[in-house]
Amino acid sequence: MIMPRDSLAQPPGGGVGSDPPAAAPDSLMGRLLAMLLQGMPLIFGLGFIAPLIAQLLERALPAAAHAQWPLLAGLAIGGSWGAFANLRGRWI
């Protein structure tokens, strides 16, 4: 026996012409992950660019190897560059 097309059941996930499923409420873990990913340029600027700049300054000026200012300069440059990239949406 062949059933008419209109009487067929819809698949569980919805079919053609059905409403999309309702979005599940965001979990705490999802919100934390979204916040972390939004701040990645700043984290990259402070965690990678700043030590790289400090090491480059220490290599270029060996007398500054035991001083604090290369790290502070690296943090200032890397942090401001990361904050700029975070606000602007791109690095350049």
Side-chain angles (χ1 to χ4, degrees), residues 2-54:
I2 298 176
M3 300 175 92
R5 187 175 182 111
D6 294 326
S7 65
L8 292 175
Q10 291 288 332
V16 177
S18 66
D19 292 332
D26 290 343
S27 65
L28 177 63
M29 188 63 105
R31 288 190 303 241
L32 289 175
L33 185 60
M35 286 175 38
L36 177 72
L37 291 176
Q38 286 176 352
M40 283 304 286
L42 182 62
I43 294 170
F44 183 77
L46 290 174
F48 181 75
I49 300 290
L52 178 67
I53 290 173

Side-chain angles (χ1 to χ4, degrees), residues 38-80:
Q38 286 176 352
M40 283 304 286
L42 182 62
I43 294 170
F44 183 77
L46 290 174
F48 181 75
I49 300 290
L52 178 67
I53 290 173
Q55 286 181 2
L56 289 174
L57 287 172
E58 289 172 356
R59 291 279 179 146
L61 305 169
H66 297 290
Q68 291 292 322
W69 69 267
L71 181 60
L72 294 175
L75 286 171
I77 295 169
S80 60

